[in-house]
Amino acid sequence: DVKVTQSSRYLVKRTGEKVFLECVQDMDHENMFWYRQDPGLGLRLIYFSYDVKMKEKGDIPEGYSVSREKKERFSLILESASTNQTSMYLCASSLESTGELFFGEGSRLTVL
Amino acid sequence: RKEVEQDPGPFNVPEGATVAFNCTYSNSASQSFFWYRQDCRKEPKLLMSVYSSGNEDGRFTAQLNRASQYISLLIRDSKLSDSATYLCVVNRVDSSYKLIFGSGTRLLVRP
């Protein structure tokens, strides 16, 4: 079974703090994604990566950056957390560009 | 107008009922369509892909109507375990990597 593991299930941070969300997949997938999920808005794509050191902006990249130094690991960085970044963050991976997405369990971030 | 629209529900049905959800999409050039299922406080998981000819997987049937730009999901003989949120997913035509998720339709199956 594909496993996508997110480092933290729940985080509470203060405004202005730097936040790292880590994601690791164990199936040698090329593509990795970061989404946020908010009530009524569905999942929105923040960034995705189709290869090591390659990244592309999704629909809502502002306030976020990403890092993919190894194929299995994709990190989401909030340089200076703000209250409007309180959300559920979901990491996903896929083998092919239009293939099935495998999600991690999510990281619920609260910014106070 | 949202790129992918779903009725949020909830659809509240008794066990054994047949229930159908529709999802409309705005870009007629979209090529790939999916239904994902998300249980409460869990991650989304692929339920089924939607093919032009329609497809069936046990009690679940997915249909695509390109002329009217909607996809549907039919669940027959509903089970309590079918209670979940069903997410409609469509690819964005300017990039095959970008899948657009609807905000989901919630289904509650009661005993």
Side-chain angles (χ1 to χ4, degrees):
Chain A
D1 277 355
V2 174
K3 191 156 179 69
V4 179
T5 303
Q6 295 185 227
S7 53
S8 305
R9 293 293 306 276
Y10 301 95
L11 304 95
V12 179
K13 298 290 181 181
R14 297 204 175 274
T15 300
E17 281 193 80
K18 192 168 186 175
V19 181
F20 291 89
L21 299 178
E22 302 256 299
C23 175
V24 178
Q25 51 94 2
D26 65 358
M27 283 301 291
D28 203 34
H29 283 175
E30 302 294 332
N31 307 304
M32 296 189 75
F33 307 81
W34 274 106
Y35 289 88
R36 64 177 281 178
Q37 185 174 28
D38 301 286
L41 296 177
L43 277 80
R44 292 179 292 167
L45 182 63
I46 303 171
Y47 267 98
F48 67 96
S49 169
Y50 50 91
D51 202 350
V52 175
K53 297 192 186 294
M54 306 302 287
K55 60 186 179 185
E56 283 198 30
K57 293 180 180 179
D59 296 312
I60 50 164
E62 296 79 19
Y64 303 95
S65 61
V66 290
S67 172
R68 194 161 180 206
E69 296 296 318
K70 293 185 178 181
K71 190 175 186 179
E72 67 271 18
R73 189 180 297 269
F74 192 36
S75 302
L76 180 69
I77 303 145
L78 288 68
E79 292 289 342
S80 177
S82 62
T83 54
N84 62 13
Q85 292 179 309
T86 291
S87 187
M88 170 68 82
Y89 290 88
L90 289 158
C91 175
S93 71
S94 71
L95 182 59
E96 298 165 354
S97 60
T98 54
E100 177 181 359
L101 287 176
F102 294 88
F103 285 90
E105 291 185 308
S107 299
R108 183 165 292 281
L109 171 67
T110 301
V111 183
L112 302 175
Chain B
R1 183 186 171 188
K2 287 184 180 179
E3 292 181 88
V4 177
E5 292 203 66
Q6 296 183 252
D7 181 341
F11 285 63
N12 192 322
V13 303
E15 265 188 297
T18 295
V19 62
F21 313 132
N22 281 347
C23 162
T24 59
Y25 60 94
S26 61
N27 195 317
S28 60
S30 294
Q31 294 294 325
S32 303
F33 309 89
F34 310 90
W35 284 102
Y36 277 70
R37 171 193 169 128
Q38 186 172 24
D39 293 307
C40 188
R41 300 186 188 280
K42 297 283 192 179
E43 72 274 21
K45 293 184 179 178
L46 180 67
L47 178 65
M48 57 200 306
S49 302
V50 186
Y51 305 119
S52 297
S53 55
N55 49 307
E56 188 173 314
D57 183 4
R59 298 181 294 108
F60 298 82
T61 301
Q63 297 277 358
L64 168 63
N65 185 317
R66 285 194 182 276
S68 301
Q69 293 180 213
Y70 73 86
I71 66 173
S72 63
L73 178 67
L74 180 77
I75 305 174
R76 289 181 298 277
D77 188 22
S78 299
K79 312 291 185 192
L80 295 177
S81 57
D82 294 334
S83 297
T85 297
Y86 292 84
L87 306 174
C88 170
V89 185
V90 177
N91 81 307
R92 178 171 287 159
V93 292
D94 60 352
S95 168
S96 60
Y97 295 102
K98 293 182 185 175
L99 297 177
I100 308 163
F101 284 76
S103 51
T105 296
R106 190 166 172 218
L107 172 64
L108 300 172
V109 182
R110 64 181 187 271

